[in-house]
């Protein structure tokens, strides 16, 4: 069996095959991994079944770094070739609607009456991946600016906000505060993005709750963009404002909340500057 590095042509073939399986996986349709491998092997340069399996795990790791959904049956394996990152990026660049299609193809049963989201603890230093893995993930995310991509994906952002809106209404209703549930406002949809938060909700005791929603199909550590205005409002209204991070959205959405000041939880990096004439 070949021990040579995978060629660009081979990488393109296996990446395309992986995405064919991923589309079925996200949509909840059955597919046969072994059959996919059998059909793929004759087109590769004398690769073993095991090497193809491991390459699929490498692709999962690349997709994790890109803040994308991956096939859960292929656990991410790291220390992959840089050429594999390029192959995945090429596939995605040729299919700019992939994120929208993968979102719209997932099972939506019960969304209208969706239960409260699972809201867990935010990522911390104590539960972060091993340094080498984390460095690779952050390098990919920075190189391809996955935070900016999620921000530009209006369909993803809107779907995430709508999901949080339902969550807030269900939470208040379950707490016996249907009166407050009926007063929740989807501010970004009604007034645009200038308020510094997306949803005006309430705590069960009637205190206001201003929610900025950030949504990704990726893992919980996928970077996200925060605007200058959002940071300003977070600072001015610390007792009311929170960032509601939705992740794994293409499958089973999970969430955590961050309270101001945000720099107590995340590293804030300037990505653009306003230029004014002297």
């Amino acid at each position: 069996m070949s021990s040579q590095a995978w060629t660009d042509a081979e990488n393109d073939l296996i990446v395309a095959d992986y995405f064919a399986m991923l589309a079925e996986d996200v949509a909840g349709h059955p597919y046969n991994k072994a059959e996919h491998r059998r059909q793929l092997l004759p087109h590769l340069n004398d690769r073993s079944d095991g090497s193809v399996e491991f390459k699929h795990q490498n692709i999962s790791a690349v997709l994790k770094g890109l803040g994308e959904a991956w096939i859960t049956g292929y656990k991410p394996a790291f220390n992959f070739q840089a050429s594999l990152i390029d192959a995945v990026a090429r596939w995605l660049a040729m299919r700019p609607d992939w994120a929208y299609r993968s979102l719209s193809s997932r099972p939506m049963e019960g969304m209208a009456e969706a239960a409260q989201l699972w809201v867990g603890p935010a990522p911390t230093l104590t539960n972060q991946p091993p340094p080498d893995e984390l460095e690779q993930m952050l390098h990919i995310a920075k190189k391809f600016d996955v935070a900016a991509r999620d921000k530009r994906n209006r369909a993803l952002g809107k779907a995430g906000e709508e999901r949080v809106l339902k969550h807030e209404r269900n939470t208040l209703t379950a707490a016996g505060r249907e009166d407050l549930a009926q007063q929740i406002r989807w501010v970004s949809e009604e007034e645009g993005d200038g308020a510094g938060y997306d949803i005006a909700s309430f705590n069960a005791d009637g205190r206001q709750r201003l929610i900025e929603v950030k949504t990704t199909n990726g893992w919980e550590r996928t970077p996200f963009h925060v605007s200058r205005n959002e940071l300003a409002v977070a600072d001015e209204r610390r007792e009311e404002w929170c960032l509601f991070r939705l992740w794994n959205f293409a499958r089973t959405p999970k969430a955590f909340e961050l309270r101001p000041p945000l720099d107590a939880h995340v590293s804030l990096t300037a990505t653009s500057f306003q230029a004014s004439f002297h």
Side-chain angles (χ1 to χ4, degrees):
M1 293 295 173
S2 176
S3 59
Q4 295 182 350
W6 285 59
T7 66
D8 286 346
E10 287 180 299
N11 281 334
D12 286 340
L13 284 170
I14 197 168
V15 165
D17 183 64
Y18 184 103
F19 272 104
M21 290 189 288
L22 180 59
E24 301 292 351
D25 197 68
V26 171
H29 299 157
Y31 62 97
N32 189 312
K33 294 178 184 176
E35 181 60 29
H36 271 265
R37 286 198 302 276
R38 279 194 292 270
Q39 292 188 22
L40 183 64
L41 280 168
H43 304 284
L44 303 176
N45 296 329
D46 197 28
R47 304 293 178 184
S48 69
D49 217 52
S51 68
V52 171
E53 186 93 1
F54 189 70
K55 202 70 170 180
H56 282 139
Q57 291 183 258
N58 288 152
I59 296 170
S60 290
V62 172
L63 287 171
K64 185 174 182 179
L66 288 171
E68 294 280 355
W70 67 87
I71 298 173
T72 52
Y74 287 127
K75 182 180 178 181
F78 299 87
N79 297 316
F80 37 76
Q81 295 172 268
S83 59
L84 183 62
I85 305 174
D86 294 335
V88 174
R90 276 196 301 274
W91 193 96
L92 289 169
M94 293 175 64
R95 296 159 184 85
D97 66 335
W98 163 254
Y100 174 76
R101 289 194 304 106
S102 64
L103 175 65
S104 61
S105 67
R106 70 187 178 92
M108 299 293 284
E109 296 88 351
M111 275 293 287
E113 297 82 25
Q116 288 94 327
L117 288 159
W118 182 85
V119 181
T124 65
L125 289 174
T126 58
N127 65 11
Q128 69 182 9
D132 288 348
E133 293 182 11
L134 183 59
E135 183 179 353
Q136 289 183 69
M137 297 301 96
L138 295 179
H139 171 74
I140 296 171
K142 183 177 180 180
K143 180 179 179 181
F144 293 96
D145 203 350
V146 300
R149 181 210 58 208
D150 279 350
K151 183 182 179 183
R152 289 192 302 267
N153 189 341
R154 297 184 65 83
L156 177 66
K158 185 173 180 178
E161 290 173 20
E162 186 174 14
R163 185 66 182 81
V164 174
L165 192 72
K166 291 183 172 69
H167 167 78
E168 290 292 306
R169 286 175 176 159
N170 289 337
T171 299
L172 286 170
T173 299
R177 296 306 307 264
E178 190 169 351
D179 58 325
L180 294 177
Q182 294 176 356
Q183 297 178 50
I184 295 175
R185 293 174 54 238
W186 190 353
V187 177
S188 60
E189 184 73 4
E190 297 171 11
E191 302 176 7
D193 295 326
Y197 54 91
D198 299 309
I199 296 168
S201 184
F202 302 91
N203 293 286
D205 61 7
R207 288 178 297 118
Q208 195 159 36
R209 179 171 155 81
L210 307 178
I211 306 170
E212 175 61 32
V213 182
K214 303 292 182 183
T215 307
T216 185
N217 286 330
W219 65 319
E220 65 270 30
R221 290 180 179 271
T222 303
F224 55 87
H225 265 289
V226 180
S227 73
R228 185 184 215 173
N229 183 49
E230 289 160 3
L231 287 175
V233 175
D235 187 56
E236 291 168 6
R237 307 185 70 173
R238 289 191 176 197
E239 298 303 315
E240 303 162 308
W241 193 96
C242 76
L243 189 146
F244 199 102
R245 180 56 162 161
L246 268 178
W247 55 280
N248 198 41
F249 192 73
R251 295 185 180 279
T252 304
K254 299 179 181 180
F256 58 84
E257 294 186 12
L258 300 179
R259 296 279 178 174
L262 287 184
D263 56 8
H265 310 281
V266 297
S267 298
L268 297 172
T269 305
T271 57
S272 64
F273 296 87
Q274 177 177 296
S276 302
F277 290 99
H278 299 300

